[in-house]
Amino acid sequence: MDLLVVVPHPDDEVFGAGGTLIQYADWGLETGLITLTKGEAGRTLGLCKPEELGEQRAKELQQAVQILKLGHFELYDFPNGLPNNAAEGEARGHGFATPQGVADHPEIVDLLLWRFEVLRPRAIITFGPDGSNRHPDHVATHQFVVKAAEKSGQKIKLFFYAPPQPLPEYLEGWLPPNHIRHLPMEVLLQKLRAMAQHRTQALSVLNFMDRFSYRLATETFHLAGYEGPIQHELLWYAKP
């Protein structure tokens, strides 16, 4: 496999890498996604019952996967950890009442090790050490992916989501981007359609579009261990 995205929640795949996944699939590269939870602690917006949110988000993710043209997709059912910035009184899924999250399941390392051995990804995209917003599931996923890649012994390029400028509260642990991809209009439009599939998380989608609009058409990553000039493709052979 050329490029594999590993994230904890439905919608984590599309904000930072949706356009890259679409474009690389169009160019004939093999792309895949592993999502560790069904996001059952997210918002419901009244679109479903709290106990139905996990399955609803799984359906939304499946619809996004089709638009992202992913050749391989795996969805697991580890618990969705509580976000660190939830507002009081929000309509949340039943997972919001559960204290466990991805970090409470270190066996994910061995699961990922097995999947890396089977899928043989040349490159992986996941969250950076700060989890972008320090969500505990994001941070734990970063740690588990790095451990699994190291244990695999494979030569895997590890790319981390890397905003051009971090918010002041997330400066600690921020890694600067060293790979920057600018999306053409036709790819951007498909990415926006994929984002729109996550209907129950519409407030998160709108918040991202409002605060980070510059990241809609530009996707930025930090390649671990790379110290050269800015690159514009994650894989040297990626081209139309």
Side-chain angles (χ1 to χ4, degrees):
M1 177 176 294
D2 297 290
L3 180 62
L4 176 66
V5 175
V6 182
V7 290
H9 313 121
D11 76 16
D12 288 339
E13 79 290 339
V14 71
F15 293 118
T20 297
L21 290 170
I22 291 167
Q23 200 163 29
Y24 278 13
D26 285 342
W27 293 354
L29 275 66
E30 186 178 358
T31 59
L33 170 66
I34 293 177
T35 305
L36 297 175
T37 84
K38 293 182 177 179
E40 68 278 2
R43 299 180 178 93
T44 67
L45 299 186
L47 298 177
C48 65
K49 297 177 181 178
E51 63 272 18
E52 297 173 348
L53 180 61
E55 292 306 316
Q56 178 63 31
R57 294 195 70 182
K59 293 177 183 177
E60 293 172 351
L61 178 57
Q62 184 63 61
Q63 293 167 346
V65 162
Q66 297 301 315
I67 297 171
L68 296 173
K69 305 176 183 178
L70 288 159
H72 184 85
F73 170 54
E74 300 178 18
L75 175 60
Y76 293 92
D77 198 18
F78 291 100
N80 180 185
L82 303 184
N84 50 17
N85 57 353
E88 185 176 354
E90 287 184 314
R92 291 272 176 175
H94 80 288
F96 197 72
T98 304
Q100 280 204 345
V102 169
D104 297 295
H105 290 270
E107 68 271 21
I108 289 174
V109 174
D110 289 333
L111 168 67
L112 293 176
L113 174 60
W114 168 51
R115 301 316 296 148
F116 296 169
E117 290 174 344
V118 171
L119 298 173
R120 309 292 294 182
R122 294 182 175 87
I124 292 173
I125 295 174
T126 191
F127 283 99
D130 63 348
S132 293
N133 59 4
R134 296 210 182 92
H135 190 300
D137 283 353
H138 296 179
V139 174
T141 298
H142 163 82
Q143 295 169 348
F144 292 164
V145 168
V146 170
K147 288 180 181 178
E150 290 174 348
K151 290 178 69 175
S152 75
Q154 300 177 41
K155 292 183 178 179
I156 304 174
K157 291 185 174 183
L158 290 180
F159 289 93
F160 306 135
Y161 289 142
Q165 293 293 333
L167 296 175
E169 60 267 35
Y170 303 134
L171 181 60
E172 183 179 354
W174 170 72
L175 296 173
N178 50 33
H179 285 65
I180 299 176
R181 303 196 70 255
H182 301 289
L183 307 178
M185 179 61 70
E186 62 271 17
V187 173
L188 171 60
L189 294 177
Q190 293 179 74
K191 175 181 176 177
L192 292 174
R193 278 195 63 224
M195 292 172 62
Q197 303 311 304
H198 297 286
R199 290 177 173 82
T200 57
Q201 307 310 299
L203 292 181
S204 296
V205 173
L206 291 174
N207 181 63
F208 185 90
M209 296 175 72
D210 180 39
R211 301 182 70 184
F212 310 111
S213 57
Y214 58 91
R215 294 178 61 192
L216 292 172
T218 302
E219 296 180 348
T220 53
F221 310 91
H222 178 92
L223 172 59
Y226 178 76
E227 297 180 352
I230 296 292
Q231 297 293 318
H232 300 292
E233 293 303 341
L234 310 190
L235 298 165
W236 64 268
Y237 54 86
K239 56 186 178 180

